[in-house]
Amino acid sequence: MGSKLGKANFSQFPDATGHFGIYGGRFVSETLIFALDELEAAYQRLRKDPDFQAEFDHDLAHYVGRPSPLYHAKRWSNEVGGAQIYLKREDLNHTGAHKVNNTVGQALLAKYMGKKHVIAETGAGQHGVASATVAARLGMTCQVFMGEDDIQRQALNVYRMKLLGAEVVSVKSGSKTLKDAMNEAMRHWVTHVDDTFYIIGTAAGPHPYPMLVRDFQSVIGREAREQCLAQNGRLPDALVACVGGGSNAIGLFHPFLDDESVAMYGVEAGGHGVETGQHAAPLNDGSPGILHGNRTYLMQDDGGQIIETHSVSAGLDYPGVGPEHSWLKDMGRVNYVAINDDEALTAFRKLTLVEGIMPALESAHAVAYAEKLAKTMSPEQSIVVNLSGRGDKDIHTVATIDGIGIE
Amino acid sequence: MSRLAAVFAKLEQDGRKALVPYIVAGDPAPALTVPLMHELVSKGADILEIGVPFSDPMAEGPVIQLAHERALANKVTLSMVLELVAEFRATDSTTPVVLMGYANPVEHMGYQQFADRASAAGVDGLLTVDMPPEEAEQATQILRAAGIDNIFLLAPTTSDERIQKIASLASGYLYCVSLNGVTGAGHLNVAAVTEKLASIKRHTNLPITVGFGIKDGASAAALAPLCEGVVVGSALIERIVATDSALNNTERAAVAAELIAEIRTAIDA
């Protein structure tokens, strides 16, 4: 673990070259540098442009449905018998998850940059759906790259994307899952770099993506901070969010990073158990390396090959993580923990029964950890859990685990 | 003088262009790699680019992706690639060998350890597809101290300003990507490459090789007069895969390397 961080100003990162300490950066083939330079220049200009910001805020309010509620889960909190637990209800956003905050922002960037074609990678399909949605609204063509195995597992989202007018491109290389979909999206981008905007779905990839995805998702933390102050007159004691690539987590955490009294927990997918090696928890059990354009913690073998991951939740089933999380881990600012498949499934059922809120399996990892954490705290303390998505998309998975066939 | 510098000096003297085949180490079988390297040289290759297999070869088209997958299925590691180069070097002390791949296997080994071991194995250059110059300063220094050239890519989208920056860090040669796309793409535009090479040559005296989309004698001969060398990858790998696996390794290597003989004839004509 890194040293005590004192008064580090987290809002100053990444640095001018796109690094968070040794992490981040821009590890792509030469052809794409021009596109990343172009994107960075456009974003640096537009982030200060009042018209762009006003349009983004308007879309978040009237299209996404923000602000999302901060809900005090009283019954669950009482049952746990520790800290008061609050849910940041990103599941109530249009399209059902936090992903849309980012796709609205990036599609707006694409519009201001005059791009007519957008592409995206997707694992479970949530980012693909959110990308297809904003492309439909802005009249842009949209191609979504998705692993062949994921296409079979997520037939409903595939059809949803098609209804939204997107083309779903089946990726047959490598492990046929999210990381390969991202490789293929990069390959398509390099071939159509002149007129195509790549909407990356998480706070990873080459600079400036980790920064701009974080900025677009930071609306979550800004709202949560204001809502805590309004409802309780004080900041929460802890924040909990699941971490795959880590966009919902960095969105919640970032506006609180300089609040030293607020503890933070990023919850990775422990799969069958971190000790089994079959998981998707690079911050718990990986090492730094280079993949998909950035230096970050990765799941890799002794020869530096990326290894296959496992999680019951497709959205967390990724061998890397956003570079800012790697840095926050080394700095000791955020604690990264893991929750196994079984614990997440238990939390999925528990929240559904106790609060009538069905979390996405990704978010259920955060729910499970929050319950463990709350038990160690007093009823005067509070925790904000990012309920990053709704569980409708996972009903089929849960039913299959229950041995029930749903057609 | 390095092997690379010696080869380019000799070619210039002879008025010829470098022919640079690319294969992936350990594809389709580790035992085929060294015989194939020797056959490629005997059929007219001047420099060998040896792909280091990686699980996520982002810049490759389908042919080379599959080559990486086959090599990984054969459990080929960066350490093994260095051993194969050392084996080749035991009987060929002059042909330059450039490793081409992705940053992570080298990063994982550590740049210093890689540089020491690669130098001992007889590696002459390293081309890391996903490491632009902005990220490569430290690695370049370590490699150079070990006598290994860091080879950089130039792309159709590279600005004049960047060409200068890249050229100032590069040594050995520069690899000009002929098109916006992945390896093995089919949309080579000779006029566009001609224009790009003219602007590159205003900024550097380093030898320039051109690759991506060169698949036969005709496409190689169209580009060779514009640069110092041409790289052939996907088309060669297709030949290798198509060889009869009932043949022994030397025979298979000889059959596949015929493509290099054809291209040699075309660019020398």
Side-chain angles (χ1 to χ4, degrees), chain B residues 47-169:
Chain B
I47 298 166
L48 299 176
E49 284 186 355
I50 305 299
V52 179
F54 184 49
S55 51
D56 295 83
M58 260 177 4
E60 314 299 346
V63 170
I64 297 180
Q65 282 174 45
L66 287 173
H68 281 253
E69 287 182 19
R70 285 188 297 266
L72 289 175
N74 293 330
K75 310 259 184 253
V76 176
T77 61
L78 177 54
S79 287
M80 202 187 296
V81 177
L82 295 175
E83 286 163 21
L84 291 170
V85 174
E87 192 185 329
F88 168 80
R89 201 45 96 209
T91 50
D92 185 328
S93 59
T94 55
T95 308
V97 173
V98 172
L99 299 188
M100 181 167 179
Y102 294 80
N104 201 51
V106 177
E107 169 118 346
H108 198 73
M109 179 179 280
Y111 293 97
Q112 190 62 58
Q113 193 190 144
F114 170 80
D116 294 344
R117 292 177 60 182
S119 177
V123 170
D124 300 283
L126 176 69
L127 196 172
T128 310
V129 176
D130 54 349
M131 189 169 287
E134 288 82 356
E135 304 286 355
E137 257 175 61
Q138 198 194 354
T140 303
Q141 283 172 14
I142 293 171
L143 292 169
R144 189 166 292 165
I148 296 171
D149 289 313
N150 204 3
I151 315 292
F152 288 96
L153 296 172
L154 298 172
T157 54
T158 306
S159 66
D160 278 13
E161 191 190 343
R162 279 186 68 76
I163 293 171
Q164 283 180 339
K165 179 157 90 178
I166 294 169
S168 70
L169 197 62

Side-chain angles (χ1 to χ4, degrees), chain A residues 346-363:
Chain A
T346 302
F348 172 93
R349 296 174 200 280
K350 175 85 169 278
L351 195 68
T352 303
L353 282 173
V354 175
E355 294 287 352
I357 295 172
M358 189 178 291
L361 284 175
E362 291 79 7
S363 320

Side-chain angles (χ1 to χ4, degrees), chain A residues 19 25-31 33-34 173-174 179 183 187 190-191 193 289-290 295 300-306, chain B residues 53-58 60 65 69 72 103-105 107-108 129-130 132 135 153 155 157-158 162 166 180-182:
Chain A
H19 293 85
R26 195 177 265 184
F27 295 87
V28 295
S29 66
E30 175 61 25
T31 311
I33 295 287
F34 130 91
S173 57
K179 82 175 174 70
N183 292 333
R187 291 179 188 122
V190 84
T191 308
V193 65
I290 295 169
R295 184 182 280 119
Q300 54 185 327
D301 68 13
D302 293 343
Q305 306 295 342
I306 308 308
Chain B
F54 184 49
S55 51
D56 295 83
M58 260 177 4
E60 314 299 346
Q65 282 174 45
E69 287 182 19
L72 289 175
N104 201 51
E107 169 118 346
H108 198 73
V129 176
D130 54 349
E135 304 286 355
L153 296 172
T157 54
T158 306
R162 279 186 68 76
I166 294 169
N180 288 343
V182 293

Side-chain angles (χ1 to χ4, degrees), chain B residues 157-207:
Chain B
T157 54
T158 306
S159 66
D160 278 13
E161 191 190 343
R162 279 186 68 76
I163 293 171
Q164 283 180 339
K165 179 157 90 178
I166 294 169
S168 70
L169 197 62
S171 61
Y173 61 96
L174 287 161
Y175 185 129
C176 177
V177 175
S178 66
L179 46 77
N180 288 343
V182 293
T183 50
H187 54 281
L188 185 62
N189 177 339
V190 175
V193 180
T194 306
E195 200 176 312
K196 193 71 199 178
L197 286 168
S199 73
I200 291 170
K201 292 209 166 275
R202 281 197 290 276
H203 299 293
T204 181
N205 294 319
L206 280 170

Side-chain angles (χ1 to χ4, degrees), chain A residues 92-277:
Chain A
L92 296 177
N93 292 342
H94 180 41
T95 71
H98 73 291
K99 291 288 186 189
V100 73
N101 301 325
N102 170 50
T103 59
V104 163
Q106 288 199 47
L108 206 56
L109 271 178
K111 186 179 109 171
Y112 274 71
M113 290 170 74
K115 307 276 182 180
K116 298 273 190 288
H117 309 289
V118 299
I119 59 170
E121 84 293 337
T122 199
Q126 291 306 101
H127 174 60
V129 167
S131 298
T133 298
V134 294
R137 176 169 175 252
L138 294 177
M140 296 171 175
T141 67
C142 178
Q143 284 171 295
V144 179
F145 295 84
M146 190 167 183
E148 192 177 43
D149 288 359
D150 288 336
I151 285 180
Q152 282 169 8
R153 287 192 291 216
Q154 304 287 339
L156 192 66
N157 269 343
V158 172
Y159 189 55
R160 237 172 128 189
M161 288 184 264
K162 288 179 181 168
L163 287 173
L164 287 160
E167 179 194 350
V168 179
V169 182
S170 174
V171 176
K172 297 173 172 62
S173 57
S175 61
K176 305 181 179 65
T177 57
L178 176 58
K179 82 175 174 70
D180 307 282
M182 196 155 179
N183 292 333
E184 204 56 36
M186 288 276 187
R187 291 179 188 122
H188 181 94
W189 196 29
V190 84
T191 308
H192 301 90
V193 65
D194 293 330
D195 63 356
T196 298
F197 189 102
Y198 181 13
I199 302 182
I200 292 184
T202 192
H207 177 67
Y209 282 101
M211 172 177 73
L212 67 90
V213 174
R214 175 200 70 197
D215 290 352
F216 291 141
Q217 292 293 1
S218 289
V219 66
I220 301 171
R222 282 197 307 274
E223 286 176 6
R225 204 171 182 286
E226 281 173 21
Q227 289 164 325
C228 284
L229 291 172
Q231 291 182 30
N232 296 332
R234 57 186 287 269
L235 294 175
D237 298 284
L239 307 176
V240 181
C242 65
V243 177
S247 68
N248 90 80
I250 203 69
L252 176 65
F253 295 167
H254 196 260
F256 290 93
L257 284 172
D258 292 327
D259 298 316
E260 288 176 48
S261 67
V262 181
M264 301 185 191
Y265 298 87
V267 186
E268 292 194 307
H272 295 312
V274 171
E275 70 288 351
T276 66

